[in-house]
Amino acid sequence: MATFLYKLGRLSFRRRHFVALIWVALLTLAGVGAASAPAAGNSSFSIPGTEAQKAFDLLEQRFPGTSADGATARVVFKAPSGEKMTDPGNRATVRDTVKELSDGSEVVRVTDPYQAKAVSKDGTIAYAQVSYKVSGMELDDAAKDALKDSAQDARKAGLTVEIGGDALQAVPHTGSSEIIGIAVAAVVLVITFGSLVAAGLPLLTALIGVGIGVSAITGLASALDLGSTTSTLAMMIGLAVGIDYALFIVSRYRAELAEGREREEAAGRAVGTAGSAVVFAGLTVVIALVGLSVVNIPMLTKMGIAAAGTVAIAVLIALTMIPALLGYAGRKVKPMGEKGKLLGRAKKQDEQGAPAKPNLGTRWASFVVRRPLAVLLLGVIGLGAAAIPAASLELGLPDDGSQPTSTTQRRAYDLLSEGFGPGFNGPLMVVVDAKNSDDPKAVFTQTGDEIKGLKDVVTVTPAQPNKAGDTATITVIPGSQPSSVTTEDLVHGIRDAGAGIKADTDANVLVTGSTAMNIDVSEKLNDALVPYLVLVVGLAFLLLIVVFRSILVPLKAALGFLLSVMAALGAVVAVFQWGWLSGLMGVEQTGPVMSMMPIFMVGVVFGLAMDYEVFLVTRMREAYVHGEKPAQAVVTGFRHGARVVTAAAVIMMAVFAGFIGSSESMVKMIGFGLAIAVFFDAFIVRMAIVPAVLALLGRKAWWLPRWLDRALPNVDVEGEALRATSGDDDGDRELVRV
């Protein structure tokens, strides 16, 4: 592989005009496609195989024309102090509002609070429910404006009016913090390279790669039913890995220049060596992201594949466009050890060309090699302590209760809780399929009676049968809030009662609604976590065996990842569930952690963690196979790689942290989780635990059974073929067979 990538790097350097033209053309093509593509609608959220999804599908069959997947809005009214909603003036205002809402072309129906008994017991709060033909993301602006205007008219009459539901759903925005993250990355690159030109190359290529990836996602969003979160996450991951991969290659290029090589040769060798690490690091990320498809949640699968495609583009750009841009930059990109005018003069070097004073990476690695056990214990205990909150992890999906208090959706949520109880915001819809029963009406009555006898049930509405009379819906109002464990127990209790009804009457009792769907999603994700871990970690473990030609090094990499991801989950629980530092993070409402957070974090963090593992440890192996002792190889790897890995980690943290400013709670949580996970993995696992373990293992770290050594393909990540063909091997250094 090293030889092929070496030739690719030299070819891209020589034919830089052609390479640059290709990538600019692809960016233009993707941009035109995104601009001309039809606007994407609301991404459908289906969970195949769950009871809630089966009930939803049954509703569409048995209750045609009800627009079960259409948007809804709850217009909540509160009377002024000392008045009631049943007062004649307030009643007239509400009915005028209902009439005004009914005139919309996309409105299916509007319920009158006084006819639907939607007035609180104390008479101070009432609500009207509006049902639409289309989903919230498909509602036109005129319908949303009409909804807002009707509420404003009622406010002028003296009522407090707020609007909940998904009718006012908006595309999330990330805010200025995303730009701040990129700015931090730029500053780190300038400090690392000491040159604006060298620092600009990773940023430029990363932005081009993300531009192509996100434009392609936007162009295909309508055809493939992709939601807005898909492009946001692809941008988040694409920016981070795009900058890192380019940083690895530019850093190796400068190191090759420092050894006295011509620029074209240095570009070829940079791509042949660091580029090999980039390829395998990218493969681990792609495996982790594509592996999300095993969960069998279409939305998660699409997010993973879209992000994986963006990562693949980042790898290709790093291998081709970076050497092409290095050709354009010429002498403006200086050898390692030399500083540009921006940050001062070059460092003094000794006779062999090495820095006279060991750099920080060398000094740190030397310390770890001298005290490996102490560093290992300190790192493991620290991550273990950070992981303790993960034992209290509660999963759920965000609803209006997790919105900022400044939004009308959140204020409507709070008003409904005040007037009708916390469970009113998460009603359960029970669907009774009595098509195979002898007496459907009796089944409907029996089902309602049994549900009334369950704990935490506040209200059970009479069964509403369809025209055929063989299927009915029953609405159940729990006594607890939607995300509580008590409500989850109630859902399971209704399903257990339904099993008994089926045995007696051959009727199916299914529970659906957003609350039940959230519960089913959480359980499905929990069930898929272990198989997903086995698949992704197992495939990456095999890949790393090929890269490092070792059993213990990949095993250590996988165990270190588990430590960092558990510590990161603990931090997420502490902030988003317990409320620690929630004000600093802009978290206005604590609650359960998003259901897909653990499995998504496992996938993404594993792939990103392997970036640092591959880049740092390949330099150690490169030194070891060329004759250095194991401890010295660790120090050598840090001398060449610590600065780059540190810069890459800070950049990745800055990019992810930039998404904490998103208005979407899901993106905010993922941004924080990935940023803290990168911190734990890069600075504690890879910079402390990894060298400590390698120092303790010594030569055993690189052990591989002979039969497996013969069976594995030689991918030559260290670039041994390049040394052999150019005669760069030092005569007094023996090649170690590992």
Side-chain angles (χ1 to χ4, degrees):
M1 173 177 285
T3 303
F4 169 76
L5 292 177
Y6 166 77
K7 293 178 179 178
L8 178 63
R10 294 196 62 168
L11 178 64
S12 299
F13 188 95
R14 288 197 309 271
R15 301 286 187 261
R16 47 187 172 273
H17 302 307
F18 180 68
V19 172
L21 182 62
I22 288 178
W23 284 113
V24 171
L26 288 174
L27 178 61
T28 303
L29 183 64
V32 171
S36 58
N42 188 31
S43 179
S44 59
F45 188 78
S46 62
I47 313 295
T50 61
E51 179 173 316
Q53 186 64 46
K54 292 177 182 176
F56 185 80
D57 296 339
L58 183 64
L59 282 173
E60 291 190 332
Q61 295 175 9
R62 304 289 175 84
F63 292 83
T66 57
S67 300
D69 59 345
T72 59
R74 278 180 171 177
V75 183
V76 188
F77 307 89
K78 183 175 183 179
S81 178
E83 298 182 17
K84 294 184 179 297
M85 291 305 304
T86 52
D87 293 345
N90 294 334
R91 184 189 293 262
T93 299
V94 171
R95 285 185 167 161
D96 288 343
T97 303
V98 169
K99 183 179 179 181
E100 184 179 349
L101 288 169
S102 302
D103 294 337
S105 60
E106 294 182 320
V107 174
V108 176
R109 61 183 174 277
V110 182
T111 61
D112 186 317
Y114 304 103
Q115 295 179 0
K117 298 181 180 180
V119 180
S120 63
K121 290 182 179 179
D122 62 3
T124 60
I125 297 174
Y127 74 91
Q129 181 151 319
V130 188
S131 301
Y132 293 90
K133 298 176 182 177
V134 296
S135 63
M137 293 295 285
E138 294 171 320
L139 270 181
D140 58 34
D141 292 338
K144 294 182 179 181
D145 290 341
L147 181 60
K148 295 175 184 177
D149 291 343
S150 64
Q152 188 60 36
D153 292 341
R155 291 189 186 107
K156 291 178 181 178
L159 298 178
T160 298
V161 186
E162 304 295 346
I163 305 172
D166 60 354
L168 295 182
Q169 184 177 2
V171 176
H173 59 84
T174 54
S176 60
S177 54
E178 177 189 345
I179 300 175
I180 295 174
I182 297 176
V184 171
V187 172
V188 173
L189 287 170
V190 170
I191 295 174
T192 302
F193 292 135
S195 165
L196 288 175
V197 174
L201 297 183
L203 280 176
L204 177 61
T205 54
L207 290 174
I208 290 175
V210 168
I212 294 173
V214 173
S215 295
I217 292 170
T218 304
L220 297 172
S222 179
L224 300 182
D225 191 27
L226 303 177
S228 59
T229 306
T230 303
S231 59
T232 303
L233 295 176
M235 181 190 303
M236 181 192 302
I237 296 169
L239 268 177
V241 300
I243 294 174
D244 279 6
Y245 295 163
L247 171 63
F248 293 160
I249 293 178
V250 173
S251 297
R252 188 59 183 252
Y253 171 77
R254 297 177 70 232
E256 297 293 337
L257 288 179
E259 294 183 8
R261 293 189 173 86
E262 295 295 328
R263 294 188 177 273
E264 182 179 329
E265 177 70 11
R269 285 178 171 272
V271 176
T273 51
S276 298
V278 165
V279 168
F280 282 100
L283 275 176
T284 59
V285 180
V286 169
I287 287 172
L289 291 170
V290 173
L292 291 170
S293 59
V294 303
V295 184
N296 195 26
I297 295 179
M299 184 185 74
L300 196 59
T301 300
K302 293 170 186 176
M303 287 166 54
I305 293 176
T310 307
V311 171
I313 293 172
V315 172
L316 292 174
I317 283 184
L319 298 178
T320 57
M321 194 169 185
I322 282 293
L325 293 179
L326 289 172
Y328 284 118
R331 298 186 180 278
K332 293 180 181 179
V333 177
K334 298 184 179 298
M336 186 77 71
E338 287 190 25
K339 292 291 184 181
K341 296 179 180 179
L342 188 64
L343 293 179
R345 298 177 180 176
K347 293 181 179 179
K348 294 182 179 180
Q349 296 180 336
D350 61 18
E351 295 177 356
Q352 286 74 36
K357 180 182 178 181
N359 61 21
L360 182 60
T362 302
R363 297 197 299 273
W364 169 250
S366 299
F367 170 78
V368 174
V369 167
R370 290 196 305 270
R371 300 284 189 273
L373 187 58
V375 172
L376 176 62
L377 290 176
L378 187 61
V380 171
I381 292 172
L383 290 178
I388 290 175
S392 303
L393 177 68
E394 296 178 8
L395 298 177
L397 287 179
D399 55 17
D400 284 348
S402 62
Q403 296 271 6
T405 53
S406 59
T407 62
T408 186
Q409 292 95 328
R410 171 62 187 278
R411 291 196 294 265
Y413 181 97
D414 292 341
L415 283 176
L416 288 172
S417 296
E418 177 188 340
F420 302 92
F424 196 80
N425 284 293
L428 305 175
M429 179 176 288
V430 179
V431 183
V432 185
D433 178 9
K435 191 172 185 178
N436 297 325
S437 301
D438 296 331
D439 189 355
K441 290 185 178 180
V443 173
F444 301 154
T445 302
Q446 178 185 351
T447 302
D449 291 341
E450 292 206 20
I451 293 174
K452 289 177 183 177
L454 298 176
K455 293 181 180 179
D456 200 49
V457 173
V458 175
T459 304
V460 178
T461 64
Q464 301 293 323
N466 62 349
K467 291 182 179 180
D470 58 5
T471 307
T473 60
I474 300 173
T475 301
V476 180
I477 306 298
S480 303
Q481 62 183 10
S483 58
S484 68
V485 176
T486 307
T487 301
E488 183 177 347
D489 292 340
L490 175 59
V491 170
H492 291 303
I494 296 174
R495 287 172 175 171
D496 291 341
I501 293 173
K502 179 175 176 59
D504 296 337
T505 65
D506 203 26
N508 288 319
V509 178
L510 307 173
V511 185
T512 189
S514 60
T515 301
M517 183 71 80
N518 291 352
I519 292 170
D520 287 351
V521 170
S522 298
E523 292 179 352
K524 190 176 182 69
L525 289 167
N526 282 337
D527 294 341
L529 184 58
V530 173
Y532 175 70
L533 267 174
V534 172
L535 173 69
V536 173
V537 177
L539 288 176
F541 180 77
L542 295 176
L543 185 65
L544 293 178
I545 289 178
V546 175
V547 174
F548 297 129
R549 307 193 77 80
S550 164
I551 297 293
L552 295 180
V553 171
L555 180 61
K556 171 264 308 170
L559 293 177
F561 151 74
L562 290 176
L563 271 175
S564 60
V565 80
M566 289 303 297
L569 276 176
V572 169
V573 170
V575 173
F576 290 88
Q577 187 175 310
W578 291 359
W580 294 5
L581 301 177
S582 57
L584 182 63
M585 298 297 166
V587 181
E588 297 193 30
Q589 178 67 31
T590 59
V593 173
M594 183 183 62
S595 298
M596 63 181 66
M597 187 67 189
I599 200 163
F600 189 82
M601 182 179 286
V602 165
V604 176
V605 174
F606 183 79
L608 299 180
M610 294 305 104
D611 283 2
Y612 308 121
E613 179 76 17
V614 170
F615 189 76
L616 194 60
V617 180
T618 49
R619 293 305 296 259
M620 297 178 189
R621 175 178 163 78
E622 184 177 344
Y624 177 71
V625 299
H626 288 96
E628 292 189 7
K629 293 181 179 180
Q632 183 57 39
V634 171
V635 176
T636 300
F638 267 75
R639 184 173 72 245
H640 291 295
R643 182 183 179 89
V644 178
V645 170
T646 299
V650 172
I651 289 169
M652 197 171 281
M653 288 168 56
V655 172
F656 288 148
F659 288 84
I660 296 175
S662 174
S663 63
E664 176 66 41
S665 59
M666 173 178 168
V667 176
K668 181 191 292 287
M669 189 179 294
I670 289 177
F672 171 79
L674 294 183
I676 198 69
V678 168
F679 171 77
F680 287 146
D681 195 88
F683 292 106
I684 299 181
V685 174
R686 309 302 154 191
M687 290 289 189
I689 293 178
V690 165
V693 171
L694 291 178
L696 288 171
L697 291 175
R699 293 184 182 275
K700 295 178 182 178
W702 306 105
W703 171 80
L704 186 70
R706 291 188 177 275
W707 64 268
L708 185 56
D709 185 36
R710 292 191 296 268
L712 291 177
N714 183 14
V715 296
D716 190 21
V717 176
E718 302 84 16
E720 179 56 34
L722 303 182
R723 290 176 176 267
T725 54
S726 61
D728 281 354
D729 282 320
D730 295 333
D732 59 345
R733 297 180 70 180
E734 178 184 358
L735 183 66
V736 178
R737 180 69 175 173
V738 295

